Amino acid sequence: MDIPRGMSTTTRADIDARPFQLLPQVLREEAGITVQQTTSAHASPIIRGFTGQGNAYLVDGVRLNTSAWRGGPSQYFAWVNSSAADRVEVMRGPGSVQYGSDALGGTIQVLSGPPAFAAAGLAVSGTVDAMYGSADRTGSGGAAVVVQAPGAAFRVGVDTRHVGDLRPGRGVDSHAAGTRFLGLPRSEEHTSELQSHLNLVC
C-alpha cells in the first residue's frame, strides 16, 4: 500500500529454483517482464515495452547503465554475477524522478546480502560455485571469502565466465537455410550444389 507502482522481488530461493545461465533469465517468470536474448551471452529485460536505455539498472544502489550504453537491447546487465545476488527487485513504471530520465519502463536493482557481524571473535568462511553447459560450451566459476568480526564484516570475491557459440546436435547447422530446407550439408565443397538448388527453387 505504500508503493505507488507495481513491484516484485525475486529472492535468492527463487533464483536457485529457476533454470538460468544469465541473471536476467530469472526474470522471465515475473509478471509483465519479457527477456530478449539473441546470443548465448546476451539477455535484455523488457519492461512495459522498454529495454536497454529505457530501463534503469542498479547494483546495490549504484547505477549500472549510463548514457554511454547503446539505445537498444544491451548485454551488460547479463554480466552481473548471479552468485553475488541475494535478491532482484523490479519496479514497473517510470522512475525518472528518483533514478533519472531514462528510467521509463522500470527499474531493476540487484542487491547482495551484507555479511553479518560475528557474535564473538573472528570467523572466516567462504563459498565456491561452478557451472558448465555443453550446448554453448559455457563455463563459469566464482569464489568468495567472508571475514566476520564483532564490529566489522567483509566479503571479497572473484568470478569468471566464458560463453561460446551454440552448437547444434550432431554437427548439423540448423541456421543454414540450405541445410534446414534442402538437407544439404554446410561445407565448402557443396557451395556449387547449393547454388544450383537455390536457382531451381527461385
Side-chain angles (χ1 to χ4, degrees):
M1 297 298 293
D2 297 330
I3 301 175
R5 59 181 63 91
M7 183 175 177
S8 62
T9 300
T10 303
T11 65
R12 183 70 240 182
D14 295 329
I15 295 174
D16 292 337
R18 298 174 183 177
F20 72 96
Q21 289 180 307
L22 306 173
L23 183 59
Q25 294 174 343
V26 305
L27 300 177
R28 287 175 173 167
E29 299 186 33
E30 297 296 331
I33 299 179
T34 303
V35 178
Q36 178 183 2
Q37 184 168 2
T38 53
T39 70
S40 54
H42 170 190
S44 185
I46 300 174
I47 307 175
R48 296 188 174 178
F50 290 91
T51 186
Q53 286 286 55
N55 302 319
Y57 305 94
L58 300 97
V59 178
D60 289 331
V62 179
R63 186 68 175 263
L64 179 63
N65 58 331
T66 66
S67 59
W69 277 32
R70 56 179 289 184
S74 177
Q75 74 274 19
Y76 302 115
F77 181 57
W79 295 352
V80 177
N81 183 18
S82 60
S83 62
D86 181 66
R87 66 185 187 275
V88 181
E89 295 181 349
V90 179
M91 183 172 291
R92 300 167 184 80
S96 301
V97 173
Q98 186 172 3
Y99 298 110
S101 60
D102 53 350
L104 300 176
T107 305
I108 300 176
Q109 179 161 207
V110 180
L111 297 170
S112 59
F117 297 150
L122 184 68
V124 179
S125 60
T127 60
V128 177
D129 63 89
M131 185 272 291
Y132 176 76
S134 60
D136 54 1
R137 293 177 179 171
T138 298
S140 66
V145 176
V146 179
V147 180
Q148 298 167 288
F154 303 94
R155 178 190 288 116
V156 179
V158 63
D159 65 273
T160 182
R161 177 189 299 157
H162 171 78
V163 180
D165 295 331
L166 282 172
R167 299 177 301 112
R170 299 181 181 177
V172 178
D173 186 357
S174 59
H175 292 284
T179 302
R180 188 165 65 245
F181 299 120
L182 305 175
L184 299 175
R186 188 181 182 189
S187 59
E188 294 294 334
E189 62 267 19
H190 293 90
T191 302
S192 58
E193 184 180 356
L194 174 59
Q195 184 63 45
S196 63
H197 276 272
L198 291 177
N199 290 336
L200 289 175
V201 172
C202 294

